[in-house]
Amino acid sequence: MEKIRLLVPPSDTARDSERWYEFAIYLSKLSGISISPVVSTTAEEYRDQLPNADLVYSAPEQVPKLIREHRFTPLMQPIELFEEVAIVSGPSASQSNLKGINGEPLGGIQGSFANRLGLTTLTQKQIHPSSMEYRKSWLQLLKAVQQGELPYALLSKNFIDQLSELSLTSVNLLARSNLRKAFPLLMYAASLKPQAAELRKVLQGMTDDPKAQPILEKLNNQGWQKPSEQSIISMVKILRGK
């Protein structure tokens, strides 16, 4: 049987990418569908792999394109897991507060939800960076702040939450949003439609399965639920700036 390819974005592979292999093994065993993870480390690598993916764990900003251009369908969303922005400073920052960003370079990941939300938050506070400097991955962005290349940056909360305290050495958290409107989605390609119901059943059952609990904990996930159409529409509107 041909393996189903599960594509994972770079924001969820910063630490312990093996957890996605454990998740795939569990899902394969209980659904009878052979699933193999494809772990990406950069945004470019993630985009290149999309045409060959059957299942995609999608960051919020990728959802509209996956639906519109690649005809993916939402399968499940993690329970109580939302994407937010973490605004941070590093050793080269003149001030360890949000006002210090005014007139200074600010780092981010172009097109990401964290980038959009962070800039909106700063604009509302009448704080304007002198320029935006982008990196190709969250890890590259974090290192740029730690090494003094960038004084401030907009980071993904989900990325930050994967890291240990040691990994965040010399980084100061200035602010963190709590919008609770944007979330990652597990989505499936049209070719996987016949197996979608079985996959959804297995994913919903993970919450009550003691064997699944360590896997969910490593994914920073309380379980899976079917997303409402309205919640996805609301998220897409935010991503489009509406």
Side-chain angles (χ1 to χ4, degrees):
M1 179 181 177
E2 184 180 354
K3 283 194 173 184
I4 300 302
R5 291 154 293 193
L6 165 63
L7 180 61
V8 184
S11 57
D12 281 87
T13 57
R15 182 173 64 88
D16 189 18
S17 59
E18 288 295 319
R19 61 202 178 121
W20 287 103
Y21 289 88
E22 294 176 23
F23 172 69
I25 290 169
Y26 177 92
L27 203 54
S28 299
K29 186 175 180 181
L30 272 75
S31 68
I33 302 166
S34 184
I35 299 168
S36 177
V38 178
V39 175
S40 57
T41 56
T42 66
E44 288 86 352
E45 190 177 323
Y46 179 78
R47 286 194 295 267
D48 290 345
Q49 295 284 358
L50 271 177
N52 299 317
D54 305 292
L55 277 172
V56 174
Y57 187 67
S58 172
E61 62 270 15
Q62 290 290 333
V63 170
K65 185 175 182 179
L66 283 170
I67 294 173
R68 184 179 64 252
E69 297 182 17
H70 298 279
R71 301 193 179 280
F72 273 76
T73 302
L75 180 66
M76 297 289 270
Q77 75 175 84
I79 297 172
E80 287 296 306
L81 183 61
F82 299 94
E83 178 62 295
E84 306 285 352
V85 63
I87 306 176
V88 304
S89 66
S92 66
S94 57
Q95 301 178 52
S96 291
N97 54 52
L98 291 179
K99 290 183 179 179
I101 298 173
N102 213 30
E104 293 289 330
L106 179 64
I109 299 291
Q110 193 165 22
S112 68
F113 178 76
N115 204 79
R116 175 182 289 277
L117 181 55
L119 288 175
T120 299
T121 301
L122 293 173
T123 299
Q124 289 171 347
K125 296 179 180 294
Q126 297 186 358
I127 296 171
H128 306 284
S130 62
S131 61
M132 287 301 301
E133 295 192 18
Y134 297 112
R135 296 295 186 270
K136 293 183 178 181
S137 72
W138 295 114
L139 195 55
Q140 288 179 13
L141 183 57
L142 175 63
K143 287 182 177 179
V145 174
Q146 290 175 317
Q147 294 169 2
E149 295 174 19
L150 288 168
Y152 304 95
L154 306 173
L155 290 170
S156 157
K157 171 191 172 293
N158 288 342
F159 168 75
I160 287 284
D161 287 347
Q162 294 178 55
L163 304 176
S164 64
E165 288 187 17
L166 185 62
S167 299
L168 293 170
T169 300
S170 74
V171 173
N172 298 311
L173 178 63
L174 306 181
R176 180 182 290 200
S177 66
N178 190 34
L179 190 65
R180 296 174 62 86
K181 293 288 186 181
F183 45 86
L185 276 173
L186 190 61
M187 307 182 73
Y188 65 92
S191 59
L192 206 57
K193 187 175 181 179
Q195 293 97 334
E198 181 60 30
L199 288 170
R200 186 176 286 119
K201 178 182 176 183
V202 173
L203 289 163
Q204 285 176 324
M206 289 184 77
T207 306
D208 300 319
D209 183 358
K211 292 181 180 179
Q213 293 311 304
I215 299 171
L216 290 173
E217 287 174 11
K218 288 181 181 180
L219 294 175
N220 194 29
N221 184 345
Q222 297 180 25
W224 299 90
Q225 65 186 18
K226 188 175 180 180
S228 71
E229 185 177 349
Q230 186 55 51
S231 67
I232 294 174
I233 291 172
S234 297
M235 177 170 67
V236 171
K237 283 182 178 178
I238 293 171
L239 290 165
R240 290 175 176 168
K242 296 180 179 179

